[in-house]
Amino acid sequence: MKVVLATSNKDKIKEIKNLIPKNYQILTTKDLNIDNFEVEEDGETLKENAYKKAKALYDRIKEPVIADDTGIFVKSLDNRPGVRAHRYASNNPTYKENRNKMLEELRGKEDRSAYFCTCVCYIDKAGKDHYFEGKIYGQITEKELGAYDFGYDQIFKPESSDKTFGQMTVDEKNHYSHRALALNKFVNYLKENDEDIDN
């Protein structure tokens, strides 16, 4: 079975490919000669944005597609940036600009609790949509820790860990992460419904 990822984000593609078993053929929009695949993420929820991206690609290729949307919800910031995490600092910020804005807004605040949430939308061959969610709770650190520069990873330390995501190896992060939890549910769905490589 092949599944096409509805994203052009190289870091996200790398993570997803590491999380889905090798017996599934994971393709990108680039593999299909679709350049600069972008969809305006203007939904009010992660589910809406994930569906919007998946549906835009499915309508073009009529093949099984997955898309995800991820938000980070910080208690002391009234759960901001939430679904707007990707464009928190500006319309087209760098990862570091987003992290800097969060650290600045949290300066002096005692409660640094937060959670990551990922919603995966899978549209099957028949065009039916399915959803899988993963959530992980933790704390925002007071400074960046770790070398892995992806999203908010260098300032998010999950519960029951003494490392930020930015300090973890790929395998360590996959043990904890919100994206891993959502994609594990997706893979289990495929197995339970006999949607394997032979289909």
Coordinates of all heavy atoms in Angstrom, one line a residue, residues 26-79:
I26 N 5.7 5.2 1.5 CA 5.4 6.5 1.8 C 6.0 7.5 0.7 O 7.2 7.5 0.5 CB 6.0 6.9 3.2 CG1 5.5 5.9 4.2 CG2 5.6 8.3 3.5 CD1 4.0 5.8 4.4
L27 N 5.1 8.2 0.1 CA 5.5 9.1 -1.0 C 5.2 10.5 -0.6 O 4.4 10.8 0.3 CB 4.7 8.8 -2.3 CG 4.8 7.4 -2.9 CD1 3.9 7.2 -4.1 CD2 6.3 7.1 -3.2
T28 N 6.0 11.4 -1.2 CA 5.8 12.9 -0.9 C 5.2 13.5 -2.2 O 5.2 12.9 -3.3 CB 7.1 13.5 -0.6 OG1 8.0 13.5 -1.7 CG2 7.7 12.8 0.6
T29 N 4.8 14.7 -2.0 CA 4.3 15.5 -3.2 C 5.4 15.6 -4.3 O 5.1 15.6 -5.5 CB 3.7 16.8 -2.8 OG1 4.7 17.5 -2.0 CG2 2.5 16.7 -2.0
K30 N 6.6 15.7 -3.8 CA 7.8 15.8 -4.7 C 7.9 14.6 -5.5 O 8.2 14.7 -6.7 CB 9.0 16.1 -3.9 CG 10.2 16.5 -4.8 CD 11.4 16.9 -3.9 CE 12.6 17.2 -4.8 NZ 13.8 17.6 -4.0
D31 N 7.7 13.4 -4.9 CA 7.7 12.2 -5.7 C 6.7 12.1 -6.8 O 6.9 11.4 -7.8 CB 7.5 11.0 -4.8 CG 8.6 10.8 -3.7 OD1 9.7 11.1 -4.0 OD2 8.2 10.4 -2.6
L32 N 5.6 12.9 -6.7 CA 4.6 12.9 -7.7 C 4.7 14.2 -8.6 O 3.8 14.5 -9.3 CB 3.2 12.9 -7.0 CG 2.9 11.7 -6.1 CD1 1.5 11.9 -5.6 CD2 3.1 10.4 -6.9
N33 N 5.9 14.8 -8.5 CA 6.2 16.0 -9.3 C 5.2 17.2 -9.0 O 4.8 17.9 -9.9 CB 6.2 15.7 -10.8 CG 7.3 14.7 -11.1 OD1 8.5 14.9 -10.7 ND2 7.0 13.7 -11.9
I34 N 4.7 17.2 -7.8 CA 3.9 18.3 -7.3 C 4.8 19.3 -6.5 O 5.2 18.9 -5.4 CB 2.7 17.9 -6.5 CG1 1.8 16.9 -7.3 CG2 1.9 19.0 -6.0 CD1 0.7 16.3 -6.5
D35 N 5.2 20.4 -7.0 CA 6.1 21.3 -6.4 C 5.4 22.3 -5.5 O 4.3 22.8 -5.7 CB 6.9 22.0 -7.4 CG 7.8 21.1 -8.3 OD1 8.3 20.1 -7.7 OD2 8.0 21.4 -9.5
N36 N 6.1 22.5 -4.3 CA 5.6 23.6 -3.4 C 4.1 23.4 -3.0 O 3.4 24.4 -3.1 CB 5.8 25.0 -4.0 CG 7.3 25.2 -4.3 OD1 8.2 24.9 -3.5 ND2 7.6 25.8 -5.5
F37 N 3.8 22.2 -2.6 CA 2.4 22.0 -2.1 C 2.1 22.8 -0.8 O 2.8 22.5 0.2 CB 2.2 20.5 -1.9 CG 0.8 20.1 -1.3 CD1 -0.2 20.1 -2.2 CD2 0.6 19.9 0.0 CE1 -1.5 19.8 -1.7 CE2 -0.6 19.6 0.5 CZ -1.7 19.5 -0.4
E38 N 1.3 23.7 -0.9 CA 0.9 24.5 0.2 C -0.6 24.7 0.3 O -1.2 24.9 -0.8 CB 1.6 25.9 0.2 CG 3.1 25.9 0.3 CD 3.6 25.5 1.7 OE1 2.8 25.7 2.6 OE2 4.7 25.1 1.8
V39 N -1.2 24.7 1.4 CA -2.6 24.9 1.6 C -2.7 25.9 2.8 O -2.0 25.8 3.8 CB -3.3 23.6 2.0 CG1 -4.8 23.9 2.3 CG2 -3.2 22.6 0.9
E40 N -3.6 26.9 2.6 CA -3.8 27.9 3.7 C -4.4 27.2 4.9 O -5.5 26.7 4.8 CB -4.6 29.0 3.2 CG -4.8 30.2 4.2 CD -5.6 31.3 3.7 OE1 -6.1 31.3 2.6 OE2 -5.7 32.3 4.4
E41 N -3.7 27.3 6.0 CA -4.2 26.6 7.2 C -5.0 27.6 8.0 O -4.5 28.2 9.0 CB -3.0 26.1 8.0 CG -2.3 25.0 7.2 CD -1.0 24.5 8.0 OE1 -1.1 24.3 9.2 OE2 0.0 24.2 7.3
D42 N -6.2 27.9 7.6 CA -7.0 28.9 8.3 C -8.2 28.3 9.1 O -9.1 29.0 9.5 CB -7.6 29.9 7.3 CG -8.4 29.2 6.1 OD1 -8.5 28.0 6.2 OD2 -8.9 29.9 5.2
G43 N -8.1 27.0 9.3 CA -9.1 26.4 10.1 C -9.0 26.8 11.6 O -8.0 27.2 12.1
E44 N -10.1 26.6 12.3 CA -10.2 26.9 13.8 C -9.7 25.8 14.6 O -9.5 26.0 15.8 CB -11.6 27.4 14.2 CG -12.1 28.7 13.5 CD -11.2 29.8 13.9 OE1 -10.8 30.0 15.1 OE2 -10.8 30.6 13.0
T45 N -9.5 24.6 14.1 CA -9.1 23.5 14.8 C -8.0 22.7 14.1 O -7.9 22.9 12.8 CB -10.2 22.5 15.1 OG1 -10.7 21.9 13.9 CG2 -11.4 23.2 15.8
L46 N -7.3 21.9 14.8 CA -6.3 21.0 14.1 C -6.9 20.1 13.1 O -6.4 19.8 12.0 CB -5.5 20.2 15.2 CG -4.7 21.0 16.2 CD1 -4.1 20.1 17.3 CD2 -3.7 21.9 15.6
K47 N -8.1 19.6 13.5 CA -8.8 18.6 12.6 C -9.2 19.3 11.3 O -9.0 18.7 10.2 CB -10.1 18.1 13.4 CG -10.9 17.1 12.6 CD -12.1 16.6 13.4 CE -12.9 15.6 12.6 NZ -14.0 15.1 13.4
E48 N -9.7 20.5 11.4 CA -10.0 21.2 10.2 C -8.8 21.4 9.2 O -8.9 21.2 8.0 CB -10.6 22.6 10.5 CG -12.0 22.5 11.1 CD -12.6 23.9 11.5 OE1 -12.0 24.9 11.0 OE2 -13.5 24.0 12.3
N49 N -7.7 21.8 9.8 CA -6.5 22.1 9.0 C -6.0 20.8 8.4 O -5.5 20.8 7.2 CB -5.4 22.8 9.8 CG -5.7 24.3 10.0 OD1 -6.4 24.9 9.2 ND2 -5.2 24.8 11.1
A50 N -6.0 19.7 9.2 CA -5.5 18.4 8.7 C -6.3 18.0 7.5 O -5.8 17.5 6.5 CB -5.4 17.4 9.8
Y51 N -7.6 18.1 7.7 CA -8.6 17.7 6.6 C -8.4 18.5 5.4 O -8.3 18.0 4.3 CB -10.0 17.8 7.1 CG -11.0 17.5 6.0 CD1 -11.2 16.2 5.5 CD2 -11.7 18.5 5.4 CE1 -12.1 16.0 4.5 CE2 -12.6 18.3 4.3 CZ -12.8 17.0 3.9 OH -13.7 16.8 2.9
K52 N -8.2 19.8 5.6 CA -8.1 20.7 4.4 C -6.9 20.3 3.6 O -6.9 20.3 2.4 CB -8.0 22.2 4.9 CG -8.1 23.2 3.9 CD -8.1 24.6 4.4 CE -8.3 25.6 3.3 NZ -8.4 27.0 3.8
K53 N -5.7 20.0 4.3 CA -4.5 19.7 3.5 C -4.7 18.3 2.8 O -4.3 18.2 1.7 CB -3.3 19.6 4.5 CG -2.9 21.0 4.9 CD -1.7 21.0 5.8 CE -2.0 20.6 7.2 NZ -0.9 20.8 8.2
A54 N -5.2 17.4 3.6 CA -5.4 16.0 3.0 C -6.4 16.1 1.8 O -6.1 15.4 0.8 CB -5.9 15.0 4.0
K55 N -7.5 16.8 2.0 CA -8.5 16.8 0.9 C -8.0 17.5 -0.4 O -8.3 17.1 -1.5 CB -9.7 17.6 1.4 CG -10.9 17.6 0.4 CD -11.5 16.2 0.3 CE -12.9 16.2 -0.3 NZ -13.0 16.8 -1.6
A56 N -7.2 18.6 -0.2 CA -6.6 19.3 -1.3 C -5.8 18.4 -2.2 O -5.8 18.4 -3.4 CB -5.8 20.5 -0.9
L57 N -5.0 17.5 -1.5 CA -4.1 16.6 -2.2 C -4.9 15.4 -2.8 O -4.7 15.0 -4.0 CB -3.0 16.1 -1.4 CG -1.9 15.2 -2.1 CD1 -1.3 16.0 -3.3 CD2 -0.8 14.8 -1.1
Y58 N -5.8 14.9 -2.0 CA -6.6 13.8 -2.5 C -7.4 14.2 -3.8 O -7.5 13.4 -4.7 CB -7.6 13.3 -1.4 CG -8.5 12.2 -1.9 CD1 -8.1 10.9 -1.9 CD2 -9.8 12.5 -2.4 CE1 -8.9 9.8 -2.4 CE2 -10.6 11.4 -2.9 CZ -10.2 10.1 -2.9 OH -10.9 9.1 -3.4
D59 N -7.9 15.3 -3.8 CA -8.7 15.8 -5.0 C -7.8 15.8 -6.2 O -8.4 15.7 -7.3 CB -9.3 17.2 -4.7 CG -10.5 17.1 -3.8 OD1 -11.0 16.0 -3.5 OD2 -10.9 18.2 -3.3
R60 N -6.5 16.0 -6.0 CA -5.6 16.0 -7.2 C -5.2 14.6 -7.7 O -5.0 14.4 -8.9 CB -4.4 16.9 -6.9 CG -4.7 18.3 -6.7 CD -3.4 19.1 -6.4 NE -2.5 19.2 -7.5 CZ -1.4 20.0 -7.6 NH1 -1.2 20.8 -6.5 NH2 -0.6 20.0 -8.6
I61 N -5.0 13.7 -6.7 CA -4.4 12.4 -7.1 C -5.3 11.2 -6.9 O -5.0 10.2 -7.5 CB -3.1 12.2 -6.3 CG1 -3.4 12.0 -4.8 CG2 -2.1 13.3 -6.5 CD1 -2.2 11.7 -4.0
K62 N -6.4 11.3 -6.1 CA -7.3 10.2 -5.9 C -6.6 9.0 -5.4 O -7.0 7.9 -5.8 CB -8.1 9.9 -7.2 CG -8.9 11.1 -7.7 CD -9.9 11.6 -6.8 CE -10.8 12.8 -7.4 NZ -11.7 13.4 -6.4
E63 N -5.7 9.2 -4.5 CA -5.0 8.1 -3.9 C -5.0 8.3 -2.4 O -5.2 9.5 -1.9 CB -3.5 8.0 -4.4 CG -3.3 7.7 -5.8 CD -3.6 6.2 -6.1 OE1 -3.7 5.4 -5.2 OE2 -3.7 5.9 -7.3
P64 N -4.7 7.3 -1.5 CA -4.7 7.5 -0.1 C -3.7 8.5 0.3 O -2.6 8.6 -0.2 CB -4.3 6.1 0.4 CG -4.8 5.1 -0.6 CD -4.6 5.8 -1.9
V65 N -4.2 9.4 1.2 CA -3.4 10.6 1.6 C -3.4 10.7 3.1 O -4.5 10.4 3.7 CB -4.0 11.8 0.9 CG1 -3.4 13.1 1.5 CG2 -3.7 11.8 -0.6
I66 N -2.3 11.2 3.7 CA -2.4 11.6 5.1 C -1.8 13.0 5.2 O -0.9 13.4 4.5 CB -1.7 10.6 6.1 CG1 -0.2 10.6 5.8 CG2 -2.3 9.3 6.1 CD1 0.6 9.9 6.9
A67 N -2.4 13.7 6.2 CA -1.9 15.1 6.5 C -2.1 15.2 8.0 O -2.9 14.6 8.6 CB -2.7 16.2 5.8
D68 N -1.2 16.0 8.6 CA -1.4 16.3 10.0 C -1.3 17.8 10.3 O -0.8 18.5 9.5 CB -0.4 15.5 10.9 CG 1.0 16.2 11.0 OD1 1.3 17.0 10.1 OD2 1.7 16.0 12.0
D69 N -1.9 18.1 11.4 CA -1.7 19.5 11.9 C -1.4 19.4 13.4 O -2.0 18.5 14.1 CB -2.9 20.4 11.7 CG -2.6 21.9 11.8 OD1 -1.5 22.2 11.4 OD2 -3.4 22.6 12.3
T70 N -0.4 20.2 13.9 CA 0.0 20.2 15.2 C 0.0 21.5 15.9 O 0.3 22.5 15.2 CB 1.5 19.6 15.3 OG1 1.5 18.3 14.8 CG2 2.0 19.7 16.7
G71 N -0.5 21.6 17.1 CA -0.5 22.8 17.9 C 0.2 22.6 19.2 O 0.3 21.5 19.7
I72 N 0.6 23.7 19.8 CA 1.2 23.7 21.1 C 0.3 24.7 22.0 O 0.1 25.9 21.5 CB 2.7 24.1 21.2 CG1 3.2 23.9 22.6 CG2 3.0 25.4 20.6 CD1 4.7 23.9 22.7
F73 N -0.1 24.2 23.1 CA -1.1 25.0 23.9 C -0.5 25.3 25.3 O -0.2 24.3 26.0 CB -2.4 24.2 24.0 CG -3.0 23.8 22.7 CD1 -2.5 22.8 21.9 CD2 -4.1 24.5 22.3 CE1 -3.1 22.5 20.7 CE2 -4.7 24.3 21.1 CZ -4.2 23.2 20.3
V74 N -0.2 26.5 25.6 CA 0.5 26.9 26.8 C -0.5 27.6 27.8 O -1.2 28.6 27.5 CB 1.6 27.9 26.4 CG1 2.4 28.3 27.7 CG2 2.5 27.4 25.3
K75 N -0.6 27.0 28.9 CA -1.6 27.4 29.9 C -1.5 28.8 30.3 O -2.5 29.6 30.3 CB -1.5 26.5 31.2 CG -2.6 26.7 32.2 CD -2.5 25.8 33.3 CE -3.6 26.0 34.3 NZ -3.5 25.1 35.5
S76 N -0.3 29.4 30.6 CA -0.2 30.8 31.0 C -0.4 31.8 29.9 O -0.5 33.0 30.1 CB 1.2 31.0 31.6 OG 1.3 30.3 32.8
L77 N -0.5 31.3 28.6 CA -0.8 32.1 27.5 C -2.2 31.9 27.0 O -2.5 32.2 25.8 CB 0.3 31.9 26.4 CG 1.7 32.0 26.7 CD1 2.6 31.8 25.5 CD2 2.0 33.5 27.3
D78 N -3.1 31.5 27.9 CA -4.5 31.2 27.5 C -4.6 30.2 26.4 O -5.3 30.4 25.4 CB -5.2 32.5 27.1 CG -5.2 33.5 28.3 OD1 -5.5 33.0 29.4 OD2 -5.1 34.7 28.1
N79 N -3.7 29.2 26.4 CA -3.6 28.1 25.4 C -3.1 28.6 24.1 O -3.3 27.9 23.1 CB -4.9 27.4 25.3 CG -5.1 26.4 26.5 OD1 -4.1 25.9 27.0 ND2 -6.3 26.1 26.8

